[in-house]
Amino acid sequence: MSDSNTAATEENAPGTPRTPSNFVRDIILEDLRTGKYQGRVHTRFPPEPNGYLHIGHAKSICLNFGLAAEFGGRTNLRFDDTNPEKEEQEYVDSIIDNVRWLGFEWQEPVCYASDYFDQLYAWAQQLVRAGKAFVCDLTADEMRRYRGTLTEPGKESPYRNRSVEENLDLLGRMKAGEFPDGARTLRAKIDMASPNLNMRDPVMYRILHAEHHRTGNKWCIYAMYDFAHGQSDSIEGITHSICTLEFEDHRPLYDWYVDQLGIYHPQQIEFDRLNLTYTLLSKRKLLQLVQEGHVRGWDDPRMPTLSGIRRRGYTPEAIRNFCGSIGVSKTNGTIELGLLEHFVREDLNRRALRAMAVLRPLRVVIDNYPEGQVEELDAVNHPEDESAGTRKVPFSKVLYIEQDDFREDPPKQYYRLSPGKEVRLRWGYFIRCTSVVKDANGGITEVHCTYDPETRGGNAPDGRKVKATIHWVSAGQAVDAEVRVYETLFTRENPNEVEEGQDFLSNINPASLEVLTGCKLEPSLRGAPAFGYYQFERLGYFCVDPDSAPEAPVFNRTVALRDSWAKIEKRGKG
RNA sequence: UCCCCGGUCGUCUAAUGGUAGGACAGCGGCCUUUGACGCCGUGAAUCGAGGUUCGAAUCCUUGCCGGGGAGCCA
């Protein structure tokens, strides 16, 4: 609907952020143009409270809330709580929390399919009276056999032609709790020969003597998803009911129920679910990882749950930017994890204050620096944001540097510290390595250097250059910390691709969590708040884990910085 | 075998009968008190075969490939 070529050109200009269109948005645009819903746009995000939300849900949340917001519409948060056996209040709470954290506001109040149980029941009676539904006594097993197969039509249930009176009576008694679980069902009377299995007299209600997290023991029959979802949309005046591709085959049934009931008819639109490399986005499998202890919980920073990636240090903005960039279509694709990491780096680069931390310390003694002297040097907090100011970092005779930043026998192109070579200590002095101290096994325990007092702050008055600037922490003032370094939870791009006889658990990455203790932080990091994020210079983005104690900080590595040296080195090794 | 939905650079996506474009990833370079960031450059695609058309990624036919579907789950 862009009004000119100019607009299109501007939108496509490199570097200009834009919300690309997509086919769902196009449908809404068209409906707005034709006045199909009198200009209304009302979407909904309908999770089942049977697990924690994950990054895949974030895509749906951003789509639903984003589209409504763009057109001045509303979005409901509705729990699809029609199966009390799997649903819990804990999940409701976490979902509400996660959606809010992501930065979206729903139309109050929070909705629940269970709010509509009475209405749904009345509608069921209406279909019975219309001769469109019947009580069936077939067992689950029998029903499966009667259903037919993908290639052969099914057979009609022997109970299909009960009278309206008998059906009404039986339905009432089902509701009254007269029958055990599974004894009977209420079924829609559609077409046992339909090529769409969902239309072969689908179950509307099943008997389930289970306590519901909201309605308690009021009900012992529960509507199936298909008999609840479309009507819930209808009740709420939803215009565009956006769901994932696997519900495509259910759309005819969705339409059938609202049409037979003669109620307001929203339109269901299906899009492709998010898949991410090295990541599992199946609630069932995520639950298994938690229950079997393969991870430390739903919010383990290795989990793709919103709670997990939040704890990992991802920001809502990064996730929203990612969701906005991946597009919406109907192709089954898999996004590379690297794209998500790109967006978190982009956001964190902009906002994270810089600090120095040494993860794998190597002691450095500066032989010509006065014993016992400590000076305070100025360090810039953010190289691209002057308003972030500066801080003081202590400097003294004994420091720690990263083990990776010293090589006794430096390979080609290695710029960092090695015997006889000079480097700059970030915001400090130039130092030159004079000797190496080793233990009995030949392991390097300490490096001795001299410093050039003229280079305070990092510049040489004589104009000489160094190839590298490395980070460091003064030993006497360092804060000890635990740092948790994460790799992907799975070793394969597709964790579901397994050897014969194995399951996805065989693809778990044994190195997905590395706990580093005795890491050395610059003192300004003392007392950093939980979830606070920083860039540890030259290493990556890190955030404070809630496991932290006042004198025992714990950091999570959110994502490493891009590392072109690692690439060069890897290439060299072939 | 039956029904539904898909197939555009390595990956995701745009082009809605009229120049196949962008992002990420890759590669090369510049810059640099982060081997970061940034900047510049570069390679890289319409599943196949027919047809309609002045013109096809787009429309038609057909084949191939991929995904989903036989819960009293959602």
Side-chain angles (χ1 to χ4, degrees), chain A residues 179-209:
Chain A
F179 311 117
D181 286 3
R184 294 178 214 267
T185 55
L186 181 72
R187 294 225 259 163
K189 206 183 282 187
I190 308 180
D191 177 10
M192 289 307 290
S194 172
N196 181 343
L197 291 271
N198 295 125
M199 300 300 273
R200 319 244 261 227
D201 292 4
V203 172
M204 295 162 61
Y205 270 98
R206 75 283 211 186
I207 300 172
L208 232 44
H209 291 267

Side-chain angles (χ1 to χ4, degrees), chain A residues 355-364 399-408 414 416-418 423-426 431 444-447 449 469-474 481 483 485 514 516-522 535-540 542 557 561 563 565:
Chain A
M356 292 196 286
V358 174
L359 266 35
R360 295 176 175 84
L362 171 62
R363 226 171 111 87
V364 171
L399 316 169
Y400 292 111
I401 65 168
E402 210 68 59
Q403 287 171 19
D404 273 356
D405 288 337
F406 180 81
R407 290 292 177 82
E408 192 174 18
Y414 185 85
R416 284 111 96 149
L417 197 63
S418 55
V423 298
R424 171 167 42 230
L425 295 175
R426 181 83 154 151
I431 58 170
I444 298 171
T445 58
E446 194 172 280
V447 170
C449 295
T469 300
I470 65 175
H471 61 279
W472 53 278
V473 170
S474 174
V483 175
V485 175
E514 185 181 9
L516 266 22
T517 55
C519 302
K520 306 294 182 181
L521 312 181
E522 64 165 80
Q535 184 197 100
F536 289 172
E537 294 212 53
R538 303 206 309 127
L539 296 176
F542 294 78
R557 186 177 75 185
L561 252 29
D563 187 352
W565 163 244

Side-chain angles (χ1 to χ4, degrees), chain A residues 430-478:
Chain A
F430 285 13
I431 58 170
R432 186 181 299 278
C433 174
T434 53
S435 65
V436 177
V437 180
K438 296 182 186 178
D439 61 21
N441 303 319
I444 298 171
T445 58
E446 194 172 280
V447 170
H448 283 254
C449 295
T450 56
Y451 85 116
D452 177 353
E454 298 298 307
T455 59
R456 192 176 200 270
N459 288 305
D462 64 4
R464 78 180 186 279
K465 302 287 184 200
V466 287
K467 286 281 245 192
T469 300
I470 65 175
H471 61 279
W472 53 278
V473 170
S474 174
Q477 295 74 29

Side-chain angles (χ1 to χ4, degrees), chain A residues 45 89 127 272 277 285 294 321 339 407 558:
Chain A
F45 173 62
Q89 188 61 38
L127 289 187
D272 62 329
T277 57
K285 288 172 184 166
H294 301 290
N321 291 344
L339 186 62
R407 290 292 177 82
T558 306

Side-chain angles (χ1 to χ4, degrees), chain A residues 264-282:
Chain A
Y264 164 76
H265 195 151
Q267 74 175 305
Q268 173 178 311
I269 303 166
E270 311 84 14
F271 72 100
D272 62 329
R273 156 198 294 288
L274 172 69
N275 294 300
L276 256 192
T277 57
Y278 299 103
T279 308
L280 229 35
L281 297 177
S282 140

